[in-house]
Structures are given as structure tokens and as C-alpha cells.
Amino acid sequence: MNTHWSKDDMPPIYKPVVWEPADAEEAVALKREYGADAVWVAGGTLLRTQWEGGVAPMPAHMIRLDTIAGMRSIIEETEYVTVGALATLKQCGQHAALQQYANALYMACRHIAAPAVRNLATLGGNVASAVGDALPALLVHDASLLWVDGEVASLHHEQDAVDWMEQVRMGRRSLQAVLLGIRFPKGPVEAGSLLRSSSDIGEETTVDLSANAVSYWTDEKGERWRELCFFRKLGRREAFTPSLVTVALRCWISERGELTRVRVAAGGGSGLAMRLLQCESMLEGRSYDASWLPELASMAAQEFVSYSDPFAEAPYRQQSAGNLLAAGVWESIRDIEEGR
Amino acid sequence: MNRASMNWNATINGKERELEVEPSRRLLDVLRTDLELTGTKVSCEIGRCGACMVLIDGEPVNSCLTMAYQCQGKDITTIEGLHGDKPAELHPIQEAFLEEGGFQCGYCTPGMIISTKALLDRNEQPDEHTIKEALCGNLCRCTGYGGIMRAVESAAVKCKTRTEEPSVAE
């Protein structure tokens, strides 16, 4: 739909009042005051497509989140990396700390939308949409979400991303909660185990899907474990396409080939991302053998709850998720064996 | 604090501009309707096609997705802001698109050229994969992309050559 409203004849619905809260508490108070007539706006890229597509009406009140200080920062602390909800996808796909400690997210952010959209779109917006392609990556990195929530007495609270996804699935998501940030535990990664230096992260360098950072961890028995982590996206064309299916996997593999701390997740399209707990149980403690990859693919296809739309039937998405996971494990192990 | 309208200002193609606009007004509309810079094209309006691409502080951005308040005070370059050594001359990227047949109907071309400018400003010798990634948000329904790929490769050579050439004054 082309719109060519002049400044003076735009109908009222296209003239929302734009609020500029100084902090998250004020943003929550504004939402409470105006309810369904107000929306929080981060990068606004998804909202704009919804307004233009008629999926949602343009609201009477927009509440900017970019006026709140500190929302764009990515901060590395001793045990965590915390990403401000308004950090852009471009920032996240270039950040050395995320490359090392949240590699599936780092890779996801390099494959969502096109470069120009990633300059505007934010990680918080992707997450808060509940159907963003970053969500499977959050689930495999044990991420938590930092909220200011008008429905919680203490206002500020931290919530496991898995729990929040479950709330969304049950229709119990708080409508008074503004996302401040996403926190990733660093886990047992040894300092200095990142093999690719920060200088390798070029401005527009396109990283091959197998070009992960490499992290190591040595357990109390002296056995060395290497991180195996990937994100895969299947769309309707090669690049800049809405996803049909996304999968992410993170685990640690010993020198003997044993897997531990396994996390597997799938999502994509307008479906809700989920951890695949049966697949995780199947892999936990198991030694890698290519012969069990078909079993992994089959189990993932059975466990993944998906949906049908005019572009793809649910069984297609489920089978694709299984195949992406099995192929991802196979490729990652191959890369390790070939010294990559 | 809230605004139903704002005194919006930005530097557009090197020139300071000031307007009274609704803060949620799309940059696309500010450019085309308010400032009559119609080289920036309107097409899908949902950030898919790239016809409305502009540079904001040197970064490519879909102007259909950008609201006025999001680019307040920024440096914005549209297709009208590109030229060669003299204002009446074509930019090397524009030359390359002409010479290599990088367009047919021409509707996507301003966006293609802006995305190419953003790419070559950061990477003067992009490989094929990097070009495809940089232009993946720009759709063309005429050319099949062959001419566009050739144009970007040729533009890279032209831009690099001009950078390396000593100026007349030297």
C-alpha cells in the first residue's frame, strides 16, 4: 500500500503521540496509563511491517525506548555478558564477547534480515516479538531476560528465557513488562580460548556458518572439553528471507568424543521457539558417532512443535528442523576433525 | 515528555534542513513529499525491497522503516547526494551501473547504488559473497542480477582507481 499523505491531511491514526520516557519505570507507567492504545518502540522494524501490512493498527501512543540510558550497551562482566535490549542486530553480530560466549546468538544476528534492517532492528525487539529468530539461540545459551514489569511488586526482575517462552505459550505473558536486557552466562570457558582475534571481526565480513569461535574448558579430572555450538536457519531463499525453521545447539565435547551440557532448541517462522529436551537427554553423556545422527533427526522432528501456513506444512518444518540439527552436528564434528 | 510534532533537523546531502514534522513520520515521506527528493523510491514499504535505501551516518538504512525521530540530527545521503568530482558528473558507481547494464526499468537502481556505496566505503575490494550479502536487501525484478554484480565489481575498480590517482593539484 502506497501512502502519500501530505503533512496536513494525514488521518489522526497516522499521527501518534510519541513519548520519550527518561527511564524504564516511566515507560511502564505510560503503558499502564494508555494500555492497548500504546506500544513500546525499540527499532520499530517489525512494528512498521505490522502497521503497513494491516496486521496491527498504528497506535495512538508510541513509547520510545531509545531515550532510556544504557539500553544499547553490551557489557562483559566476570560471569555474564549483558546485552541492552536496544543493541542493534548489527552490534550483536559484531561483538567479540558474544562471539565467544554466545556464539549461536552471534551467528543468528548475522543471519536475521538484511544488513540495512540490522542497522535499525534490535535484539530486544526480536526477543519481545516472541517469534524472533534469535530466540532458539537464547535458549541454548541459558539466557535470562531482565524486565521492568508493572505486574511484579519489585518492578525489576530477571527471568529465565525458557520460563518466559512458556508464559508466552500459555498466554500468560505480562503486558506491562518492558525488556531492559538479555543476560548470557559465560559458563566454564577458559580465558584466552577464543582463537579468532577481535580484529578478525571485520565490519562487513560475512562469516561462514562453520566459522565459530572456539572455546575450551578443562574439568576437575583434567579432561579438556571443546565447545560445539551452531545456529542454522532455513528460509525460502538464500538470504534476507523470513525463516521457515531455525535451530541452535550448544554442548561441550571431550577429547574422547563425549558430549555434555547439551542444549538444543528450534523455532522459526511465526512459531514459538522451544528447547528440545528429549534430544538433549539423548545426546547428554553420549559419545559422538555419526551412526546416531538419523536418530537425532527423527527425534527432533517428533519433538518439535510447529505449525502449517501457506508456505510450509508443519511436518516439513519438523523434518527440516531434525535434518538441520543432524547436519549441524555432523558439520561441526567434521570441522573439529579437520582442525577448523 | 511527549511530542505530536517536532522541529526535525538533519543534514541531507550536505545541506542543513529543518522541518516541522510528526515524529513518527517515515523518513521516506519526509524525503519524497516534504523535501521533494524523489530519487529515493517507494515500493514494498516493509523493508524488503531496498528501493528506499539511504545512508544515515554512512550506514545503509531502509527509509520506509525509519521514523523521523530516529534520524533527528543525523547525516543523511540520498541518491541525489552522489556525484563525481563535479556535481554535474556521475559518481563512479553510477557510471558502472550504466556501462555494465546494471538496470533495466531503473526503479531499484537508486537503492542498489546506495547499498553499493555503503559497501565500497567499507570494503574497496569485496568478493562475490560479500557483494551478495551487502545487496541481499535490494531486490531487482528485471535484470537477474548479473548486470548488477558486474556493475558492483566494476564500480569497485573505478572507485579504487580514483582514490589512488593523484589529484590535478598534486
Side-chain angles (χ1 to χ4, degrees), chain B residues 14-15 22 27 67 72 74 81 95 97 122-123 125 128-129 139 145 147 159 163:
Chain B
K15 212 168 156 183
E22 296 86 31
L27 174 60
M67 290 181 269
Q72 162 83 345
K74 302 279 176 82
E95 282 180 3
F97 270 73
R122 295 191 308 270
N123 183 344
Q125 281 183 301
E128 183 185 342
H129 185 81
L139 302 184
Y145 299 99
C159 290
T163 309

PDB file of all heavy atoms in Angstrom, chain B residues 14-15 22 27 67 72 74 81 95 97 122-123 125 128-129 139 145 147 159 163:
ATOM      1  N   GLY B  14      24.550  16.972   2.552  1.00  0.00           N
ATOM      2  CA  GLY B  14      25.477  18.042   2.906  1.00  0.00           C
ATOM      3  C   GLY B  14      24.817  19.358   3.267  1.00  0.00           C
ATOM      4  O   GLY B  14      25.504  20.327   3.593  1.00  0.00           O
ATOM      5  N   LYS B  15      23.490  19.399   3.214  1.00  0.00           N
ATOM      6  CA  LYS B  15      22.790  20.654   3.461  1.00  0.00           C
ATOM      7  C   LYS B  15      21.925  20.529   4.717  1.00  0.00           C
ATOM      8  O   LYS B  15      21.169  19.554   4.856  1.00  0.00           O
ATOM      9  CB  LYS B  15      21.882  20.927   2.245  1.00  0.00           C
ATOM     10  CG  LYS B  15      21.692  22.377   1.919  1.00  0.00           C
ATOM     11  CD  LYS B  15      21.032  22.426   0.530  1.00  0.00           C
ATOM     12  CE  LYS B  15      20.284  23.718   0.339  1.00  0.00           C
ATOM     13  NZ  LYS B  15      19.578  23.763  -0.936  1.00  0.00           N
ATOM     14  N   GLU B  22       5.637  15.259  12.082  1.00  0.00           N
ATOM     15  CA  GLU B  22       5.250  14.325  13.124  1.00  0.00           C
ATOM     16  C   GLU B  22       6.457  13.432  13.384  1.00  0.00           C
ATOM     17  O   GLU B  22       7.086  12.967  12.432  1.00  0.00           O
ATOM     18  CB  GLU B  22       4.078  13.446  12.684  1.00  0.00           C
ATOM     19  CG  GLU B  22       2.804  14.202  12.415  1.00  0.00           C
ATOM     20  CD  GLU B  22       2.763  14.738  10.991  1.00  0.00           C
ATOM     21  OE1 GLU B  22       3.335  14.094  10.098  1.00  0.00           O
ATOM     22  OE2 GLU B  22       2.173  15.814  10.798  1.00  0.00           O
ATOM     23  N   LEU B  27      10.837   8.530   7.258  1.00  0.00           N
ATOM     24  CA  LEU B  27      11.871   9.298   6.561  1.00  0.00           C
ATOM     25  C   LEU B  27      11.584   9.304   5.065  1.00  0.00           C
ATOM     26  O   LEU B  27      11.807  10.313   4.372  1.00  0.00           O
ATOM     27  CB  LEU B  27      13.256   8.697   6.854  1.00  0.00           C
ATOM     28  CG  LEU B  27      14.425   9.308   6.093  1.00  0.00           C
ATOM     29  CD1 LEU B  27      14.569  10.799   6.389  1.00  0.00           C
ATOM     30  CD2 LEU B  27      15.723   8.569   6.415  1.00  0.00           C
ATOM     31  N   MET B  67      11.649   6.192  11.267  1.00  0.00           N
ATOM     32  CA  MET B  67      10.769   7.318  11.621  1.00  0.00           C
ATOM     33  C   MET B  67      11.608   8.574  11.821  1.00  0.00           C
ATOM     34  O   MET B  67      12.798   8.498  12.137  1.00  0.00           O
ATOM     35  CB  MET B  67       9.977   6.971  12.873  1.00  0.00           C
ATOM     36  CG  MET B  67       8.945   5.888  12.602  1.00  0.00           C
ATOM     37  SD  MET B  67       7.942   5.442  14.013  1.00  0.00           S
ATOM     38  CE  MET B  67       8.889   4.113  14.726  1.00  0.00           C
ATOM     39  N   GLN B  72      16.780  12.118  13.686  1.00  0.00           N
ATOM     40  CA  GLN B  72      16.921  13.514  14.089  1.00  0.00           C
ATOM     41  C   GLN B  72      18.406  13.870  14.245  1.00  0.00           C
ATOM     42  O   GLN B  72      19.164  13.155  14.912  1.00  0.00           O
ATOM     43  CB  GLN B  72      16.182  13.703  15.425  1.00  0.00           C
ATOM     44  CG  GLN B  72      16.551  14.923  16.214  1.00  0.00           C
ATOM     45  CD  GLN B  72      15.787  16.162  15.728  1.00  0.00           C
ATOM     46  OE1 GLN B  72      15.207  16.155  14.658  1.00  0.00           O
ATOM     47  NE2 GLN B  72      15.805  17.207  16.511  1.00  0.00           N
ATOM     48  N   LYS B  74      20.813  13.624  12.198  1.00  0.00           N
ATOM     49  CA  LYS B  74      21.775  12.735  11.536  1.00  0.00           C
ATOM     50  C   LYS B  74      22.197  13.278  10.166  1.00  0.00           C
ATOM     51  O   LYS B  74      21.588  14.193   9.622  1.00  0.00           O
ATOM     52  CB  LYS B  74      21.170  11.340  11.367  1.00  0.00           C
ATOM     53  CG  LYS B  74      20.727  10.668  12.677  1.00  0.00           C
ATOM     54  CD  LYS B  74      21.895  10.048  13.381  1.00  0.00           C
ATOM     55  CE  LYS B  74      21.531   9.445  14.731  1.00  0.00           C
ATOM     56  NZ  LYS B  74      20.960   8.140  14.673  1.00  0.00           N
ATOM     57  N   GLY B  81      22.493  12.868  -3.594  1.00  0.00           N
ATOM     58  CA  GLY B  81      23.730  13.366  -2.994  1.00  0.00           C
ATOM     59  C   GLY B  81      24.987  12.750  -3.580  1.00  0.00           C
ATOM     60  O   GLY B  81      26.104  13.104  -3.187  1.00  0.00           O
ATOM     61  N   GLU B  95      28.282   5.434 -12.969  1.00  0.00           N
ATOM     62  CA  GLU B  95      28.903   5.127 -14.272  1.00  0.00           C
ATOM     63  C   GLU B  95      28.928   3.622 -14.510  1.00  0.00           C
ATOM     64  O   GLU B  95      28.585   3.138 -15.592  1.00  0.00           O
ATOM     65  CB  GLU B  95      30.354   5.633 -14.294  1.00  0.00           C
ATOM     66  CG  GLU B  95      30.518   7.109 -14.509  1.00  0.00           C
ATOM     67  CD  GLU B  95      32.010   7.493 -14.510  1.00  0.00           C
ATOM     68  OE1 GLU B  95      32.882   6.594 -14.403  1.00  0.00           O
ATOM     69  OE2 GLU B  95      32.273   8.690 -14.588  1.00  0.00           O
ATOM     70  N   PHE B  97      27.086   1.259 -13.242  1.00  0.00           N
ATOM     71  CA  PHE B  97      25.756   0.688 -13.494  1.00  0.00           C
ATOM     72  C   PHE B  97      25.309   0.963 -14.921  1.00  0.00           C
ATOM     73  O   PHE B  97      24.673   0.111 -15.559  1.00  0.00           O
ATOM     74  CB  PHE B  97      24.733   1.233 -12.473  1.00  0.00           C
ATOM     75  CG  PHE B  97      24.629   0.398 -11.226  1.00  0.00           C
ATOM     76  CD1 PHE B  97      25.639   0.416 -10.269  1.00  0.00           C
ATOM     77  CD2 PHE B  97      23.540  -0.438 -11.015  1.00  0.00           C
ATOM     78  CE1 PHE B  97      25.561  -0.370  -9.119  1.00  0.00           C
ATOM     79  CE2 PHE B  97      23.455  -1.226  -9.871  1.00  0.00           C
ATOM     80  CZ  PHE B  97      24.456  -1.187  -8.928  1.00  0.00           C
ATOM     81  N   ARG B 122      33.340   0.745   2.874  1.00  0.00           N
ATOM     82  CA  ARG B 122      33.946  -0.064   3.936  1.00  0.00           C
ATOM     83  C   ARG B 122      34.923  -1.093   3.396  1.00  0.00           C
ATOM     84  O   ARG B 122      35.805  -1.560   4.095  1.00  0.00           O
ATOM     85  CB  ARG B 122      32.862  -0.816   4.719  1.00  0.00           C
ATOM     86  CG  ARG B 122      31.903   0.046   5.483  1.00  0.00           C
ATOM     87  CD  ARG B 122      31.065  -0.813   6.422  1.00  0.00           C
ATOM     88  NE  ARG B 122      30.425  -1.934   5.746  1.00  0.00           N
ATOM     89  CZ  ARG B 122      29.229  -1.874   5.193  1.00  0.00           C
ATOM     90  NH1 ARG B 122      28.539  -0.770   5.213  1.00  0.00           N
ATOM     91  NH2 ARG B 122      28.712  -2.942   4.614  1.00  0.00           N
ATOM     92  N   ASN B 123      34.697  -1.514   2.162  1.00  0.00           N
ATOM     93  CA  ASN B 123      35.469  -2.622   1.606  1.00  0.00           C
ATOM     94  C   ASN B 123      35.715  -2.316   0.134  1.00  0.00           C
ATOM     95  O   ASN B 123      34.817  -2.450  -0.693  1.00  0.00           O
ATOM     96  CB  ASN B 123      34.677  -3.928   1.783  1.00  0.00           C
ATOM     97  CG  ASN B 123      35.450  -5.135   1.292  1.00  0.00           C
ATOM     98  OD1 ASN B 123      36.427  -5.019   0.564  1.00  0.00           O
ATOM     99  ND2 ASN B 123      35.005  -6.311   1.701  1.00  0.00           N
ATOM    100  N   GLN B 125      37.537  -3.837  -2.040  1.00  0.00           N
ATOM    101  CA  GLN B 125      37.653  -4.988  -2.951  1.00  0.00           C
ATOM    102  C   GLN B 125      36.777  -6.142  -2.468  1.00  0.00           C
ATOM    103  O   GLN B 125      37.292  -7.196  -2.068  1.00  0.00           O
ATOM    104  CB  GLN B 125      39.109  -5.447  -3.034  1.00  0.00           C
ATOM    105  CG  GLN B 125      39.971  -4.579  -3.941  1.00  0.00           C
ATOM    106  CD  GLN B 125      41.384  -5.115  -4.037  1.00  0.00           C
ATOM    107  OE1 GLN B 125      42.080  -5.243  -3.026  1.00  0.00           O
ATOM    108  NE2 GLN B 125      41.814  -5.433  -5.242  1.00  0.00           N
ATOM    109  N   GLU B 128      32.667 -11.883  -4.267  1.00  0.00           N
ATOM    110  CA  GLU B 128      31.300 -12.102  -4.743  1.00  0.00           C
ATOM    111  C   GLU B 128      30.337 -12.331  -3.582  1.00  0.00           C
ATOM    112  O   GLU B 128      29.230 -11.786  -3.549  1.00  0.00           O
ATOM    113  CB  GLU B 128      31.280 -13.306  -5.701  1.00  0.00           C
ATOM    114  CG  GLU B 128      29.908 -13.551  -6.304  1.00  0.00           C
ATOM    115  CD  GLU B 128      29.862 -14.816  -7.152  1.00  0.00           C
ATOM    116  OE1 GLU B 128      30.919 -15.309  -7.553  1.00  0.00           O
ATOM    117  OE2 GLU B 128      28.742 -15.309  -7.380  1.00  0.00           O
ATOM    118  N   HIS B 129      30.777 -13.132  -2.606  1.00  0.00           N
ATOM    119  CA  HIS B 129      29.912 -13.446  -1.464  1.00  0.00           C
ATOM    120  C   HIS B 129      29.575 -12.181  -0.683  1.00  0.00           C
ATOM    121  O   HIS B 129      28.426 -11.979  -0.253  1.00  0.00           O
ATOM    122  CB  HIS B 129      30.613 -14.467  -0.558  1.00  0.00           C
ATOM    123  CG  HIS B 129      29.762 -14.932   0.582  1.00  0.00           C
ATOM    124  ND1 HIS B 129      28.808 -15.908   0.441  1.00  0.00           N
ATOM    125  CD2 HIS B 129      29.713 -14.526   1.875  1.00  0.00           C
ATOM    126  CE1 HIS B 129      28.207 -16.095   1.598  1.00  0.00           C
ATOM    127  NE2 HIS B 129      28.738 -15.274   2.497  1.00  0.00           N
ATOM    128  N   LEU B 139      16.085  -5.747  -3.968  1.00  0.00           N
ATOM    129  CA  LEU B 139      15.510  -6.666  -4.955  1.00  0.00           C
ATOM    130  C   LEU B 139      15.388  -5.990  -6.317  1.00  0.00           C
ATOM    131  O   LEU B 139      15.048  -4.816  -6.410  1.00  0.00           O
ATOM    132  CB  LEU B 139      14.115  -7.117  -4.502  1.00  0.00           C
ATOM    133  CG  LEU B 139      14.032  -7.814  -3.151  1.00  0.00           C
ATOM    134  CD1 LEU B 139      12.607  -8.289  -2.896  1.00  0.00           C
ATOM    135  CD2 LEU B 139      14.991  -8.985  -3.065  1.00  0.00           C
ATOM    136  N   TYR B 145      20.162  -9.937 -11.883  1.00  0.00           N
ATOM    137  CA  TYR B 145      21.308  -9.602 -11.019  1.00  0.00           C
ATOM    138  C   TYR B 145      22.681  -9.715 -11.680  1.00  0.00           C
ATOM    139  O   TYR B 145      23.669  -9.262 -11.118  1.00  0.00           O
ATOM    140  CB  TYR B 145      21.300 -10.418  -9.709  1.00  0.00           C
ATOM    141  CG  TYR B 145      20.067 -10.169  -8.870  1.00  0.00           C
ATOM    142  CD1 TYR B 145      18.999 -11.057  -8.911  1.00  0.00           C
ATOM    143  CD2 TYR B 145      19.957  -9.039  -8.095  1.00  0.00           C
ATOM    144  CE1 TYR B 145      17.851 -10.832  -8.174  1.00  0.00           C
ATOM    145  CE2 TYR B 145      18.812  -8.793  -7.348  1.00  0.00           C
ATOM    146  CZ  TYR B 145      17.761  -9.697  -7.385  1.00  0.00           C
ATOM    147  OH  TYR B 145      16.628  -9.449  -6.666  1.00  0.00           O
ATOM    148  N   GLY B 147      23.945  -8.240 -14.372  1.00  0.00           N
ATOM    149  CA  GLY B 147      24.478  -6.915 -14.680  1.00  0.00           C
ATOM    150  C   GLY B 147      24.816  -6.138 -13.417  1.00  0.00           C
ATOM    151  O   GLY B 147      25.783  -5.363 -13.381  1.00  0.00           O
ATOM    152  N   CYS B 159      36.259   3.067  -8.237  1.00  0.00           N
ATOM    153  CA  CYS B 159      36.413   3.855  -7.002  1.00  0.00           C
ATOM    154  C   CYS B 159      37.850   3.745  -6.492  1.00  0.00           C
ATOM    155  O   CYS B 159      38.440   4.733  -6.046  1.00  0.00           O
ATOM    156  CB  CYS B 159      35.439   3.370  -5.933  1.00  0.00           C
ATOM    157  SG  CYS B 159      33.724   3.765  -6.293  1.00  0.00           S
ATOM    158  N   THR B 163      40.648   6.742  -6.119  1.00  0.00           N
ATOM    159  CA  THR B 163      41.263   7.043  -4.819  1.00  0.00           C
ATOM    160  C   THR B 163      42.783   7.097  -4.966  1.00  0.00           C
ATOM    161  O   THR B 163      43.453   7.911  -4.331  1.00  0.00           O
ATOM    162  CB  THR B 163      40.895   5.935  -3.800  1.00  0.00           C
ATOM    163  OG1 THR B 163      39.497   5.754  -3.829  1.00  0.00           O
ATOM    164  CG2 THR B 163      41.309   6.320  -2.388  1.00  0.00           C
TER     165      THR B 163
END
